[in-house]
Amino acid sequence: MSLFEYSPAPESRTVVDIAESYDLFIGGQMVEPQDGTRFKTISPSTEEVLAEVAEAGERDVDAAVQAARVAYTRVWSRTSGRERGKYLFRIARLVQERARELAVLETLDNGKPIRETRDVDIPLVAAHFFYHAGWADKLGYAGLGANPRPLGVAAQIIPWNFPLLMLAWKVAPALAAGNTVVLKPAETTPLTALAFAEICQQADLPAGVVNIVTGAGETGRLLVEHPDVDKIAFTGSTEVGRLIAASVAGTAKKATLELGGKAANIVFDDAPIDQAVEGIVRGVFFNQGHVCCAGTRLLVQESVVDDVIDSLKNRLGTLRLGDPMDKNTDIGAINSAVQLRRIQQMSEVGEAEGATRWSPACTLPERGFWFAPTVFTDVAQTHRIAREEIFGPVLSVLTFRTPDEALAKANNTPYGLSAGVWTEKGSRILWMAQHLRAGVVWANTFNHFDPTSPFGGYKESGYGREGGRHGLAAYLVADETEVSA
Ligand code: NDP
């Protein structure tokens, strides 16, 4: 129940100019697709068509890879780290200057609340470019010898949950290390990547160092399978990750895959309940639950489960769902009709399997794609909602009695991307962190991101790391002459 009502505080749309139609960014220019196909991108909160976007076919992907190859051979691999760093600093500053516009554009195209794009996504985008700008002339300290070399042309494929942030995670380390890139944004969220193309032009980045090909899954497949690509960096579903792993097997291409997750968020009985509840909310309802590392399996020590659930329900009653452009909104729109259907279906499965479903009273807007925050209690480990990634605002609650049981349940998943631990005891945090099979373990917090910190998974959550020195190393190779010397 709300304590008091807020008046609407909508962010202005006038800071963005959305064109009717967008071409592909190849060789430093916006170029028409060679086969002329286009698709529409819509606002998930209103279903309004925002723009038409080019769909890159085989010849377009080939032109983009060629442009990246030429830029790599003739320009970027010969540009000093110090110079590359200057371009990255320039991009970071341009992102900051255009932050409000980028936040509005992201919110319109993705459906996530303006508060998140403005305070989380876009500041982190700038932070990634700043951080990697600093690395560009210090690659000799990345742990790969004094003169590590770039890999060449990187094909980068990103999902729709953090469109510009995922672009930054991919593009910034690649460029700092001296690679050139061809990036494919997700079909439902291409607009901020196209704004980034403009930023590359504004920064005078040499032509072909960054190329952006919009399209659907088929464009992604063409890019992955292109023979002149040296490295693939992918974030998305485990299913597509498997296809990519199969496609690169037996080739010289390197790959990093950042895939799904089903993270455990573990609350011990000595945890401060109010803080833990904030962390649970942040863990699974941030970005409508469209987060690969979301804490979707809440494991609560049995003795405090009633208190935790009561506090959680009270807190969820205060969340505001609705217009993502309103600065008061906590929960925005689901990114697409397809994703909404998947969330609905998985929630129906949860009920059919015997779990108890609960949502706070909230009115869903008539147009657009919406799903109320949902909590399932009485969940068993065998239930599909406890095992499969839902990628929506849906939490499954399980209980445990001892730390060993918590650990066994947390690790009982094919995934291994992240986990959270809530307890007052430092020794328990260290013990859990040591034994949890997860790439990131947050202690008394959740969903905190920083460019200096490596992020990535175990098992079906993929391989390779992004961020920090480890992420940078995924775009470099040691100089062989140095190694043999
Ligand atoms: P996908 O894995 O299909 O999409 C991720 C990216 O890969 C998109 O750019 C997509 O293009 C592209 N792509 C699709 N097929 C291929 C292919 N064969 N070869 C190369 N690239 C391809 O995820 P979805 O958007 O379909 O989401 C489905 C489920 O995946 C979600 O419900 C969620 O569970 C999970 N997911 C996980 C993410 C994560 O960060 N771990 C992110 C997104 C989804 P396009 O968008 O144009 O189809």
Side-chain angles (χ1 to χ4, degrees):
M1 194 177 62
S2 299
L3 295 176
F4 48 84
E5 286 306 317
Y6 285 88
S7 298
E11 175 65 77
S12 168
R13 244 184 106 141
T14 55
V15 289
V16 293
D17 277 325
I18 304 180
E20 259 175 45
S21 176
Y22 288 89
D23 290 332
L24 306 166
F25 185 56
I26 298 178
Q29 309 279 337
M30 297 307 291
V31 297
E32 281 191 25
Q34 296 192 39
D35 60 7
T37 318
R38 288 181 189 273
F39 63 95
K40 292 180 173 54
T41 182
I42 63 167
S43 163
S45 62
T46 58
E47 297 176 59
E48 164 203 355
V49 174
L50 295 171
E52 277 200 339
V53 177
E55 180 160 4
E58 194 166 356
R59 287 180 299 166
D60 304 305
V61 169
D62 188 46
V65 174
Q66 274 187 41
R69 174 61 60 195
V70 170
Y72 175 72
T73 317
R74 298 198 189 149
V75 184
W76 204 239
S77 61
R78 300 177 182 189
T79 304
S80 69
R82 200 158 161 244
E83 282 303 307
R84 291 199 307 272
K86 282 190 204 167
Y87 285 107
L88 290 173
F89 276 124
R90 217 179 278 169
I91 289 172
R93 283 194 294 266
L94 285 163
V95 167
Q96 285 185 320
E97 275 170 30
R98 295 179 63 170
R100 190 148 160 250
E101 172 200 350
L102 293 170
V104 170
L105 192 58
E106 196 79 296
T107 287
L108 290 172
D109 205 19
N110 171 281
K112 65 169 78 187
I114 187 74
R115 215 156 46 80
E116 291 181 8
T117 52
R118 185 195 62 194
D119 298 346
V120 182
D121 293 56
I122 307 303
L124 276 174
V125 171
H128 270 268
F129 280 101
F130 276 122
Y131 172 73
H132 287 96
W135 263 115
D137 62 352
K138 302 173 195 71
L139 299 179
Y141 301 95
L144 294 161
N147 290 301
R149 290 185 294 104
L151 302 175
V153 174
Q156 308 188 314
I157 296 168
I158 55 172
W160 41 262
N161 52 344
F162 294 93
L164 195 60
L165 183 55
M166 287 300 107
L167 175 150
W169 278 32
K170 301 273 181 284
V171 173
L175 263 48
N179 304 271
T180 57
V181 310
V182 180
L183 176 120
K184 191 202 90 69
E187 184 183 1
T188 57
T189 53
L191 293 185
T192 45
L194 293 163
F196 184 79
E198 255 175 55
I199 289 177
C200 293
Q201 289 175 327
Q202 267 182 293
D204 277 333
L205 191 70
V209 171
V210 169
N211 304 273
I212 295 173
V213 288
T214 45
E218 177 60 10
T219 306
R221 188 189 64 77
L222 290 166
L223 184 54
V224 166
E225 291 181 2
H226 196 290
D228 202 24
V229 155
D230 300 298
K231 147 100 188 176
I232 293 155
F234 172 79
T235 298
S237 61
T238 296
E239 188 190 352
V240 174
R242 275 200 195 99
L243 293 176
I244 293 176
S247 134
V248 299
T251 73
K253 293 176 190 172
K254 291 193 182 292
T256 40
L257 303 176
E258 203 267 273
L259 311 175
K262 193 76 193 174
N265 200 1
I266 307 163
V267 180
F268 285 95
D269 59 4
D270 62 341
I273 301 288
D274 287 349
Q275 279 178 40
V277 165
E278 286 308 308
I280 295 163
V281 171
R282 185 189 174 103
V284 68
F285 301 111
F286 169 64
N287 200 28
Q288 294 71 245
H290 300 329
V291 184
C292 47
C293 52
T296 48
R297 283 185 301 146
L298 177 64
L299 298 179
V300 189
Q301 197 149 15
E302 213 172 81
S303 50
V304 291
V305 70
D306 292 340
D307 287 350
V308 170
I309 298 301
D310 285 350
S311 302
L312 180 63
K313 286 182 175 175
N314 278 337
R315 180 68 180 93
L316 292 180
T318 68
L319 294 183
R320 290 176 172 77
L321 177 147
D323 180 6
M325 289 286 279
D326 189 324
K327 293 168 201 159
N328 296 319
T329 294
D330 300 298
I331 310 267
I334 299 301
N335 181 251
S336 66
V338 173
Q339 189 60 26
L340 176 60
R341 193 65 213 122
R342 173 166 168 81
I343 299 167
Q344 288 166 337
Q345 276 168 353
M346 284 301 288
S347 301
E348 284 156 20
V349 166
E351 278 183 289
E353 286 183 325
T356 306
R357 180 175 177 168
W358 179 90
S359 288
C362 69
T363 315
L364 303 184
E366 275 174 21
R367 285 195 71 76
F369 316 126
W370 304 93
F371 197 84
T374 298
V375 177
F376 277 101
T377 47
D378 305 314
V379 178
Q381 287 193 83
T382 48
H383 289 168
R384 281 182 64 196
I385 53 167
R387 291 185 288 119
E388 296 179 26
E389 186 174 51
I390 301 174
F391 227 60
V394 181
L395 178 69
S396 298
V397 185
L398 298 103
T399 58
F400 68 88
R401 289 183 184 169
T402 64
D404 283 328
E405 186 186 349
L407 190 66
K409 284 184 168 166
N411 284 338
N412 182 17
T413 168
Y415 295 110
L417 195 53
S418 64
V421 181
W422 296 83
T423 173
E424 218 175 52
K425 291 190 181 63
S427 57
R428 183 177 281 162
I429 289 172
L430 293 174
W431 186 81
M432 291 295 290
Q434 223 172 7
H435 292 90
L436 282 164
R437 296 281 294 159
V440 179
V441 179
W442 283 291
N444 294 327
T445 186
F446 209 95
N447 270 345
H448 266 286
F449 304 99
D450 191 286
T452 63
S453 173
F455 182 90
Y458 285 89
K459 302 190 282 184
E460 290 191 18
S461 292
Y463 46 77
R465 294 291 177 267
E466 291 188 302
R469 186 179 64 76
H470 302 79
L472 194 72
Y475 286 94
L476 290 168
V477 63
D479 186 333
E480 278 165 24
T481 52
E482 237 175 60
V483 172
S484 57

